[in-house]
C-alpha cells in the first residue's frame, strides 16, 4: 500500500532536482555580459510604481473564510459519495440535510451581500 | 562491537519527512518576517500530510492538504497581507516572553517523553485492512452511526458562515 506512494516520492524528487539543475546549469555555463539595461527589473519593460507589497482588500479575507467552510464540507461529502450505494434513505437524507444546512448559510451570506464585490 | 542496524527505506523516508516537518515548524517560530512564517507553516502542514501518508491514513492526508494547506494556510496568508505593514522587515520579533515560552515548551517535552517512555513499544494495535473500501466505510459510518455528529458539524459550519459575515463585514444594510 505504502509502495504506491513511491511514485509520488520519486516525482517530488524529480520536481525538485530538474528545475534546480536547469537553473544551476544556466548559471554555470551561460555567458555573462551585464549592462544596466539587462539588469533592469523588467528588461525593455515598465518600472513598477510604488511598492509591490500592497495591502490587500479585506474582502479577500471574507471570501477565503467562506471558502474554508465549503472546503470542509467537500471533505465530508467525499466519503459519503463513495458509500452512496451502501447507504439507505435515512443516510441519504442525513447527507442532504447536511448540505441544506450549509445552503442556508450560503443563502444568508448571499442575502447579506457578502458575495458581491464592492 | 555491536554494529548499527541498517535503516530500511521506509525509515529513511520517515526521518526525511519528520526532519522537514520539524525544521519548518521551528522556522515558523524563529523566522523574523511574519510572511516567511506563514509560508513555513504551509510547509509544516505538507510535512504532517506526508507523515499521515506514512501511517497509511490517506483520508487524513488528503484532508490535511485540502483544508490546512489549501484553505487555512491561504487564510493566514491573506490575514498577513491585509495587515498594514505586516510584511516589511522584522515583523515577527522575539518578545520578552520567549524565555518563559521556551521553558514551558521544554517542560511539555519532558512530560511528553515521560508519557511516551511508559508505553511498551511497539504498542499493541489492531491492524485495519487499509483498502479502497476504508473511506467508503467511513462515509457509511458518517451517515449512520455518526449521523448526529455530522449534522451538528453542519450546524457549526453554518454558524461559522453566518458569524464570519457578522464579524468581518462592514455595517451596511
Amino acid at each position: 500500500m505504502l509502495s504506491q506512494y513511491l511514485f509520488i516520492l520519486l516525482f517530488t524528487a524529480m520536481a525538485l532536482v530538474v528545475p534546480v539543475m536547469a537553473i544551476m546549469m544556466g548559471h554555470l555555463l551561460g555567458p555573462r555580459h551585464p549592462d544596466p539595461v539587462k539588469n533592469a527589473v523588467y528588461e525593455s519593460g515598465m518600472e513598477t510604481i510604488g511598492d509591490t507589497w500592497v495591502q490587500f482588500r479585506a474582502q479577500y479575507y471574507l471570501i477565503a473564510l467562506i471558502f474554508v467552510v465549503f472546503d470542509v464540507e467537500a471533505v465530508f461529502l467525499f466519503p459519503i459519495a463513495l458509500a452512496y450505494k451502501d447507504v439507505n434513505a435515512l443516510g441519504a437524507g442525513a447527507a442532504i440535510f447536511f448540505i441544506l444546512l450549509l445552503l442556508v448559510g450560503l443563502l444568508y451570506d448571499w442575502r447579506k451581500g457578502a458575495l458581491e464585490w464592492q | 562491537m555491536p554494529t548499527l542496524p541498517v535503516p530500511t527505506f521506509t525509515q529513511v523516508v520517515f526521518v526525511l519527512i519528520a526532519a522537514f516537518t520539524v525544521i519548518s515548524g521551528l522556522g515558523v517560530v524563529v523566522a523574523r518576517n511574519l510572511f516567511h512564517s506563514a509560508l513555513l507553516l504551509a510547509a509544516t502542514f505538507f510535512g504532517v500530510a506526508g507523515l499521515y501518508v506514512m501511517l497509511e491514513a490517506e483520508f487524513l492526508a488528503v484532508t490535511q492538504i485540502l483544508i490546512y494547506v489549501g484553505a487555512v494556510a491561504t487564510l493566514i496568508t491573506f490575514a498577513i497581507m491585509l495587515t498594514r505593514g505586516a510584511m516589511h522587515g522584522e515583523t515577527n520579533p522575539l518578545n520578552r516572553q520567549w524565555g518563559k515560552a521556551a521553558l514551558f515548551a521544554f517542560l511539555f517535552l519532558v512530560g511528553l517523553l515521560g508519557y511516551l517512555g511508559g508505553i511498551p513499544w511497539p504498542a499493541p494495535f489492531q491492524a485495519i485492512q487499509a483498502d479502497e473500501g476504508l473511506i467508503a466505510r467511513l462515509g457509511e459510518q458518517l451517515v449512520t452511526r455518526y449521523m448526529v455528529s455530522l449534522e451538528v458539524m453542519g450546524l457549526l459550519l453554518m454558524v461559522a458562515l453566518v458569524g464570519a459575515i457578522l464579524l468581518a463585514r462592514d455595517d451596511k444594510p
Side-chain angles (χ1 to χ4, degrees):
Chain A
M1 196 62 196
L2 211 55
S3 58
Q4 290 177 356
Y5 289 92
L6 196 65
F7 292 103
I8 293 181
L9 196 72
L10 279 174
F11 188 78
T12 312
M14 287 292 280
L16 282 174
V17 166
V18 169
V20 167
M21 279 301 283
I23 293 167
M24 285 286 284
M25 294 296 265
H27 199 71
L28 289 172
L29 300 176
R32 222 166 299 160
H33 304 292
D35 63 56
V37 178
K38 274 191 185 172
N39 284 339
V41 179
Y42 290 112
E43 197 180 329
S44 56
M46 300 277 273
E47 290 280 334
T48 51
I49 298 166
D51 202 349
T52 40
W53 292 89
V54 292
Q55 196 187 344
F56 269 52
R57 292 188 52 179
Q59 214 181 349
Y60 283 110
Y61 192 72
L62 203 56
I63 301 285
L65 272 176
I66 297 171
F67 166 68
V68 172
V69 170
F70 287 104
D71 211 21
V72 175
E73 183 196 14
V75 160
F76 282 102
L77 288 181
F78 278 125
I80 297 174
L82 268 177
Y84 184 69
K85 60 180 186 297
D86 299 326
V87 297
N88 52 15
L90 188 66
I96 290 169
F97 188 67
F98 177 67
I99 297 169
L100 281 179
L101 269 175
L102 281 145
L103 200 64
V104 172
L106 182 66
L107 281 174
Y108 178 84
D109 287 2
W110 190 3
R111 290 290 297 161
K112 284 280 173 184
L115 304 178
E116 278 160 41
W117 196 256
Q118 15 176 313
Chain B
M1 183 179 161
T3 51
L4 285 170
V6 179
T8 63
F9 183 68
T10 318
Q11 284 169 337
V12 173
V13 173
F14 170 76
V15 168
L16 284 178
I17 295 177
F20 174 78
T21 313
V22 169
I23 290 170
S24 347
L26 203 62
V28 175
V29 185
V30 298
R32 286 285 82 91
N33 189 320
L34 199 57
F35 197 72
H36 294 167
S37 290
L39 294 180
L40 282 165
L41 188 66
T44 313
F45 287 153
F46 256 119
V48 173
L51 292 179
Y52 284 149
V53 168
M54 299 223 56
L55 290 168
E56 301 193 25
E58 279 92 358
F59 183 68
L60 265 185
V62 171
T63 308
Q64 174 82 10
I65 290 196
L66 212 64
I67 294 180
Y68 281 89
V69 181
V72 173
T74 315
L75 199 67
I76 290 170
T77 315
F78 273 166
I80 290 169
M81 294 176 97
L82 283 169
T83 314
R84 196 185 298 276
M87 289 178 294
H88 296 281
E90 294 199 357
T91 46
N92 194 15
L94 287 175
N95 61 19
R96 269 172 295 165
Q97 285 168 335
W98 73 270
K100 274 178 248 171
L103 179 69
F104 276 106
F106 180 72
L107 287 177
F108 182 68
L109 176 72
V110 169
L112 206 61
L113 284 179
Y115 174 70
L116 288 177
I119 295 175
W121 296 104
F125 65 94
Q126 197 185 357
I128 323 167
Q129 193 60 46
D131 54 8
E132 274 145 21
L134 192 66
I135 296 171
R137 257 186 286 159
L138 174 70
E140 199 191 336
Q141 293 285 306
L142 268 180
V143 289
T144 50
R145 194 169 162 198
Y146 299 106
M147 191 194 285
V148 177
S149 312
L150 182 78
E151 305 309 343
V152 169
M153 202 167 51
L155 195 68
L156 184 73
L157 288 174
M158 193 195 76
V159 170
L161 271 177
V162 174
I165 300 307
L166 277 179
L167 288 176
R169 206 170 159 274
D170 303 334
D171 281 314
K172 274 180 221 151

